[in-house]
Amino acid sequence: MSVTTLPSRGMALRQPGWIARLFDYKPFLIVMCLAPAIGLLTVFLTYPLGLGVWLAFTDTTIGQRGIFIGLENFQYLWTDPLWWGAVFYSVFYTAIATFGKFALGFWLALLLNNHFPLKSLLRAIVLLPWIVPTVLSALAFWWIYDPQFSIISYLLVDVLHIRSTNIDFLGTPWPARFSLIAANIWRGIPFVAISLLAGLQTISPSLYEAAMLDGATAWQRFRYITLPMMMPILAIVMTFSIIFTFTDFQLVYAITRGGPVNSTHLLATLAFQRGIAGGELGEGAAIAVSMIPFLVFATLFSYFGLARRKWQQGEAND
Amino acid sequence: MTDVAAQPGNSNVASATPDTMAWDSRARRVMMIYLPLACFVLILLFPFYWMAITSFKPNAELLNYKQHNPFWISSPTLAHIKHLLFDTAYPTWLKTTMFVAIGSTFLSLFASTLAAYAIERLRFRGSPYVGLGIYLAYLVPPSILFIPLATVIVQFGLFDSPLALILVYPTFLVPFCTWLLIGYFKSIPYELEECALVDGATRLQILRRITLPLAVPGLISAGIFSFTLSWNEFIYALAFIQSGANKTVPVAILTELVTGDVYQWGALMAGSLLGSLPVALFYSLFVDYYVSSLTGAVKE
């Protein structure tokens, strides 16, 4: 051991080492530091993204190289009622779920922003739905939505006697659609709440004190202080939420797999069904690519719609 | 800790002005704060309670609400968990998931620490744009990428190998971790590095001996985030892995345990519970880092 290590240590002492000096050359160091991250992202993100767009214009199937067919995939999708159904449900799902998450999440954030005992413990508990793997909590929802043994049906029928029959949560289109949205809202509330709570804590208490002295009601304080001050953070969190809700996959795949009668397909689950399960890689890629315009539009809408007010507000406040 | 000081402090302010004091009475506080909070906690935790209670219920109780109160277990059993651990490949799936999560976490931490260091500390022309580019990568959702990525994985000969997941997960972990770590590096005084430079330390020594030790809290929270995110990942694992032994827990439960028309709810819920536990435990150990870095990241 010592025999082999001693000479090498001596060498390192004698000359500072050309490697160490090479790493002191800043441009080289910068390239070396960025290489792993940029390399990984290029090979597994940028390249596939381009490849995906290319595949969307080919008739590639699993195990067979496709040829360029221009817009044929998209023309086909345009006439495909299933694709239109998925577009409809993706937009609907995103709109309702985002609204629910933000209404309830904001409320929860306002509640958590009050002073009470065991606050940090409560915050930790509240984050749980967001921590636990989505598929695993989705399975719990699947069981909660069971046609025969649903605990919700049990409560409504046998305990409260509000209904006389069990609810068929996942067997018919509209109840299935709303059941999925409810599960998505449940999962999304913690993230929205904790993010907005962080925003709430950056608002200076002096603003509220001044408003109280001027006799502002609780609603006025919320409307004219809290809401405008929260706009920038709302814009960011909402942009994130819209992107990830619109492209959601796990929840729908775990609970309904797009059924009943394809009524709950999101674009992502339809792309999986056609592309991977059905083997039509080109068509699946076209469905995936067709999400991009919606995403760009939703992002611009949520970001600029909310952020523009931030600039107005910022000028008025500073 | 800081949040107590930074309270907008409805109660503090209210108690200062006499006419709002009655407004903020105890009864009102219960109605406006504690009751809604209790409802939120109840609804947010109920699925976990239901998951847990189903895992320990014998089948007779599970499917008979008339004679047994569904909210309680009269004779708890470990049969479902025993079935899961000894009659299925569940331990293998757990091992695979752990291997994938740890592997991709280390790979992502390595790549993003270096990237964040270069962007925040070495500051070169265009470093903000590189930072922005890496951050934008986070906004590319996996459901757009999984089809072309599947063909890339096949080309690399990595189809059906957990290694594919370890290499692919950094595409969403690296942007997040880099973003988080840039914030952490920002908080470390630049003077410390300058002093070391003056003393003749090389850049690598500075990174290893000064910057990294000071960034440990940031590395821990980035590590937790990566671990939970890769444990949670589903669509890539579903698309790239075929054989039962190489599946991760979320995929395996859904594709291997759900068989036939009669679902074994006890075993399914036990599987969900056991699959959630490592993440929940890991998270509860470091919950303060987690919440503070999440809120910190949003504040940026």
Side-chain angles (χ1 to χ4, degrees):
Chain A
M1 256 314 255
S2 58
V3 180
T4 50
T5 49
L6 267 176
S8 65
R9 267 172 75 194
M11 290 259 287
L13 280 177
R14 232 176 294 134
Q15 42 171 209
W18 63 272
I19 296 178
R21 258 183 293 144
L22 185 58
F23 274 100
D24 265 356
Y25 178 55
K26 216 171 149 189
F28 178 77
L29 183 61
I30 290 169
V31 169
M32 287 313 284
C33 282
L34 288 176
I38 304 274
L40 275 170
L41 289 178
T42 310
V43 177
F44 294 109
L45 192 124
T46 317
Y47 169 63
L49 193 62
L51 184 67
V53 175
W54 163 253
L55 281 177
F57 294 100
T58 67
D59 62 355
T60 311
T61 52
I62 283 183
Q64 195 197 335
R65 262 188 121 75
I67 50 159
F68 184 81
I69 54 166
L71 288 172
E72 213 172 284
N73 282 327
F74 293 98
Q75 279 167 348
Y76 171 71
L77 288 182
W78 194 262
T79 60
D80 178 11
L82 270 185
W83 182 77
W84 281 107
V87 168
F88 163 74
Y89 186 57
S90 298
V91 173
F92 185 77
Y93 182 81
T94 310
I96 307 283
T98 307
F99 178 79
K101 269 183 262 195
F102 275 79
L104 294 172
F106 205 167
W107 187 17
L108 182 56
L110 289 168
L111 293 172
L112 288 174
N113 199 26
N114 285 293
H115 195 59
F116 49 81
L118 296 178
K119 198 167 139 175
S120 57
L121 176 74
L122 196 66
R123 250 190 274 167
I125 290 175
V126 154
L127 261 179
L128 261 183
W130 192 61
I131 306 300
V132 166
T134 311
V135 169
L136 304 183
S137 53
L139 281 171
F141 269 95
W142 195 21
W143 172 221
I144 287 173
Y145 291 146
D146 187 87
Q148 272 182 71
F149 300 104
S150 166
I151 191 67
I152 302 176
S153 291
Y154 169 79
L155 278 181
L156 293 179
V157 176
D158 294 323
V159 180
L160 299 171
H161 303 289
I162 298 174
R163 286 176 60 97
S164 54
T165 54
N166 281 0
I167 302 175
D168 187 12
F169 287 99
L170 302 174
T172 39
W174 280 103
R177 287 177 181 141
F178 281 110
S179 302
L180 290 177
I181 290 173
N184 185 289
I185 292 177
W186 174 85
R187 192 191 122 73
I189 287 176
F191 177 69
V192 173
I194 294 293
S195 311
L196 296 186
L197 180 63
L200 283 175
Q201 289 178 350
T202 62
I203 302 177
S204 160
S206 60
L207 289 174
Y208 291 101
E209 284 167 28
M212 296 275 267
L213 287 177
D214 289 344
T217 62
W219 167 248
Q220 283 173 327
R221 273 176 275 149
F222 175 75
R223 173 70 188 77
Y224 296 106
I225 300 175
T226 312
L227 207 55
M229 294 293 283
M230 292 293 285
M231 276 305 167
I233 220 166
L234 269 174
I236 294 172
V237 179
M238 195 174 275
T239 308
F240 264 78
S241 167
I242 287 180
I243 291 178
F244 290 111
T245 313
F246 192 83
T247 59
D248 194 12
F249 175 84
Q250 322 192 16
L251 201 71
V252 172
Y253 190 83
I255 300 180
T256 66
R257 303 213 179 176
V261 286
N262 294 312
S263 60
T264 58
H265 262 307
L266 294 172
L267 285 169
T269 55
L270 191 66
F272 184 87
Q273 199 188 38
R274 296 271 169 86
I276 303 285
E280 300 279 345
L281 285 176
E283 205 186 312
I287 297 171
V289 165
S290 72
M291 281 192 265
I292 295 175
F294 291 99
L295 284 180
V296 171
F297 177 75
T299 308
L300 293 179
F301 180 76
S302 74
Y303 193 77
F304 288 104
L306 292 167
R308 195 175 56 226
R309 295 217 217 152
K310 157 198 152 189
W311 298 329
Q312 291 167 352
Q313 194 57 39
E315 274 175 21
N317 263 330
D318 292 335
Chain B
M1 283 296 110
T2 52
D3 56 71
V4 179
Q7 269 299 307
N10 268 339
S11 55
N12 299 342
V13 180
S15 55
T17 53
D19 65 317
T20 45
M21 214 149 89
W23 207 220
D24 201 42
S25 66
R26 179 170 282 261
R28 189 179 166 79
R29 218 174 138 73
V30 168
M31 282 305 291
M32 297 295 289
I33 299 173
Y34 294 123
L35 195 70
L37 261 182
C39 291
F40 267 111
V41 170
L42 196 73
I43 290 173
L44 289 178
L45 291 189
F46 180 75
F48 298 120
Y49 173 74
W50 200 229
M51 198 192 262
I53 210 164
T54 309
S55 314
F56 296 107
K57 260 187 204 175
N59 276 325
E61 278 183 55
L62 198 60
L63 304 177
N64 188 344
Y65 291 174
K66 300 278 180 245
Q67 278 152 29
H68 302 276
N69 180 359
F71 291 103
W72 200 240
I73 321 173
S74 25
S75 45
T77 168
L78 288 174
H80 300 308
I81 291 176
K82 205 177 131 203
H83 168 75
L84 197 70
L85 291 181
F86 297 105
D87 302 342
T88 70
Y90 199 80
T92 320
W93 302 330
L94 269 180
K95 249 183 273 167
T96 311
T97 320
M98 194 69 90
F99 171 65
V100 168
I102 290 176
S104 53
T105 299
F106 273 102
L107 185 59
S108 316
L109 277 185
F110 173 72
S112 46
T113 308
L114 288 178
Y117 182 73
I119 291 165
E120 176 56 31
R121 282 306 164 136
L122 299 176
R123 290 194 180 276
F124 49 97
R125 260 158 54 92
S127 61
Y129 298 103
V130 176
L132 184 69
I134 290 181
Y135 169 63
L136 281 181
Y138 187 67
L139 295 181
V140 180
S143 36
I144 290 182
L145 289 176
F146 70 95
I147 291 175
L149 255 180
T151 67
V152 173
I153 293 298
V154 171
Q155 274 168 21
F156 284 177
L158 289 174
F159 190 74
D160 201 23
S161 150
L163 190 62
L165 302 181
I166 292 180
L167 287 171
V168 164
Y169 287 178
T171 54
F172 55 83
L173 300 177
V174 164
F176 200 88
C177 295
T178 308
W179 186 38
L180 236 154
L181 288 170
I182 285 178
Y184 253 91
F185 285 148
K186 238 182 228 164
S187 68
I188 299 169
Y190 202 70
E191 289 76 22
L192 286 173
E193 291 189 11
E194 280 175 342
C195 289
L197 264 182
V198 171
D199 287 348
T202 64
R203 291 269 183 187
L204 284 185
Q205 281 174 329
I206 295 175
L207 179 64
R208 203 166 48 112
R209 301 259 169 85
I210 296 175
T211 317
L212 281 188
L214 287 173
V216 162
L219 290 173
I220 291 178
S221 50
I224 305 167
F225 273 110
S226 305
F227 184 84
T228 46
L229 283 177
S230 32
W231 194 279
N232 189 352
E233 208 287 326
F234 181 71
I235 189 166
Y236 291 151
L238 179 70
F240 305 159
I241 302 291
Q242 200 129 53
S243 58
N246 288 338
K247 281 180 179 167
T248 60
V249 169
V251 177
I253 288 189
L254 209 57
T255 56
E256 308 271 315
L257 279 191
V258 179
T259 46
D261 291 335
V262 181
Y263 304 120
Q264 298 180 312
W265 286 111
L268 270 175
M269 289 299 110
S272 300
L273 191 71
L274 282 187
S276 311
L277 276 182
V279 189
L281 275 180
F282 203 54
Y283 157 78
S284 64
L285 287 177
F286 298 103
V287 67
D288 287 334
Y289 281 124
Y290 203 100
V291 174
S292 69
S293 59
L294 184 66
T295 52
V298 172
K299 268 182 208 164
E300 276 298 307

